[in-house]
Each structure stands twice: as structure tokens, then as C-alpha cells.
Amino acid sequence: MIQTHFASLSHDMKTPLSAIALYNDRIRSMKLDDPERHACHEVIADQIDRLVHITRSVLEHNGPSVGDDYVDLTALLLDTVSIYEKLHPEYTFVLLASEELPLIRGDGPALGRVLTNLLDNAIAYSQPTQIVIAAELQSEGLQLRVRDRGCGIPVQTLPHVFKPHFRGNSTVPGSGMGLAIVQDIIHAHGGRIEIASTAGVGTVIRIILPKNLFIKTNHELYI
């Protein structure tokens, strides 16, 4: 159990630490009056908050909780994709999102971990190419899809990909915790996750967050 918790901690700290290092280097090269400095400091502060949340949730064994926090999914998607475009400029990230994504009740940092884990997996198992992130409202809730054009997953491996520490390809560095973490977070929000993959073609991961998470906005009630 302790090994699993610390593998989770190590896995999820990589992206925020990389982002902090990247934006810190950018600040060093800027003049003091550069207007971009403030935006870089904001990104670093956000990533430090993520590290604190991840560390507490793992060390205190606290799972994600829906609670009463408001999560702006549009902002979460835009911020995450922006960071990955800078961390991995060799990839093309295509964000397709409905203009009317609702605010939801949920654990914002945990849902951020979902996105980073899915993108990390897409990068790990594909050569530099296009990764598509799509979000839209459907009759059953909000659908999020991440599609890569990587090596794909063999049919016999698919039933095991959500098991902690399972690694279908031992040549790819990693702890085998990414999809297990994603599944735990999505299930805690009452959602579900599906995976479809074709060897040599790529993988699509589909997440559905239920309508009962939608909250009232200034314009519309999403229930």
C-alpha cells in the first residue's frame, strides 16, 4: 500500500515540477518590466498549489472528493493544453471544446490530474504527432476524449490497463499508475471511463462526467 501511494506521488509530481522549471527559466530570460512575467508567476503559483494538493492527498491517503467546489472545465482544459504546448513543442495539441461547457461540482486539482495523466500517456506511447482533446455536452453528461495516434494497445492487454502498476509496454518509462489514478478520480465523481485502441493506429480514452455534477451558472442551469 505504501509503495502504491508513493508511486502515485512520484508519477503525478512530474508535470507540475517540469512546468515550474520551464516557466522559471522563462522568467530568468525576461526583463524586469516584461508584461509576461506576471503570467509566468501565475502559472508557477498554480503548479505549486497542485503539488501541495497532490502531496497532501497521497500522504494523508485522501481520495478525490466532489464537495462544493466549482470547477471551470473550460479554463482547466485551456490552461493544461497551454502548459503541454510549451513542455512538448514537438507535439500538436488540438483542443475541441463546446463553447458552453458547464461549471461542475468537483475536485479541481484531481480533475487536473486526470488531464495530465491522459496527456502524459498519449505522449509516452506515441511519436511526435497530433493529440486531440475534445469536450462536449451529451445527453448522458459531459464527455471528454483524448485521442493519440500512437502504438495502440493489444487486445489482450486492454482488460488490465486500469490496474495499479500494470505496464503493457516495459520499454516505456513509467510507474504504471497513470490510468489507475484516472479511474479512481473519475469513479469518485460518479463518472465512468472507457478505452478503445487499435494496435499500430492509436488509442481513444473517453470519460463521462454525469449531469448531477453540473451547477447553476449566471446564464443557464445545467441539470
Side-chain angles (χ1 to χ4, degrees), residues 4-218:
T4 297
H5 283 300
F6 278 94
S8 173
L9 179 62
S10 174
H11 181 277
D12 280 350
M13 290 179 72
K14 291 185 297 183
T15 295
L17 286 173
S18 297
I20 289 170
L22 173 68
Y23 281 86
N24 186 57
D25 285 343
R26 294 185 68 185
I27 289 172
R28 287 178 176 177
S29 65
M30 291 177 178
K31 295 181 179 180
L32 289 176
D33 59 351
D34 193 318
E36 292 295 318
R37 286 177 65 93
H38 178 71
C40 290
H41 282 298
E42 287 293 317
V43 172
I44 289 173
D46 287 344
Q47 297 306 305
I48 290 173
D49 287 343
R50 283 190 59 200
L51 286 172
V52 171
H53 178 275
I54 291 167
T55 303
R56 284 178 175 169
S57 65
V58 172
L59 295 183
E60 297 174 7
H61 308 314
N62 292 330
S65 59
V66 174
D68 294 320
D69 290 342
Y70 289 7
V71 181
D72 185 338
L73 290 172
T74 301
L76 185 61
L77 287 164
L78 288 171
D79 290 347
T80 303
V81 170
S82 176
I83 288 173
Y84 271 79
E85 286 175 334
K86 295 175 177 64
L87 289 176
H88 302 280
E90 69 277 17
Y91 285 82
T92 300
F93 297 92
V94 178
L95 177 58
L96 306 173
S98 165
E99 294 182 358
E100 297 184 352
L101 292 183
L103 297 177
I104 69 168
R105 291 184 297 108
D107 186 329
L111 291 172
R113 292 168 73 187
V114 167
L115 288 173
T116 57
N117 281 328
L118 294 183
L119 291 176
D120 285 344
N121 265 17
I123 290 166
Y125 290 95
S126 68
Q127 297 299 316
T129 182
Q130 185 183 86
I131 296 173
V132 177
I133 306 99
E136 61 182 349
L137 291 174
Q138 295 192 335
S139 59
E140 55 186 332
L142 186 141
Q143 175 184 258
L144 173 68
R145 287 181 292 113
V146 175
R147 185 188 73 203
D148 67 58
R149 296 177 178 175
C151 60
I153 303 170
V155 174
Q156 65 273 19
T157 301
L158 278 174
H160 308 288
V161 295
F162 294 109
K163 296 178 180 177
H165 301 294
F166 180 81
R167 296 175 61 201
N169 187 341
S170 59
T171 65
V172 176
S175 64
M177 290 298 297
L179 289 179
I181 292 169
V182 168
Q183 180 175 252
D184 285 348
I185 292 170
I186 296 305
H187 284 178
H189 285 78
R192 71 176 193 272
I193 180 169
E194 303 166 352
I195 185 166
S197 188
T198 303
V201 176
T203 300
V204 178
I205 295 183
R206 177 175 179 261
I207 287 169
I208 296 292
L209 292 174
K211 285 186 175 182
N212 62 11
L213 296 180
F214 297 2
I215 63 173
K216 186 176 182 180
T217 70
N218 292 331

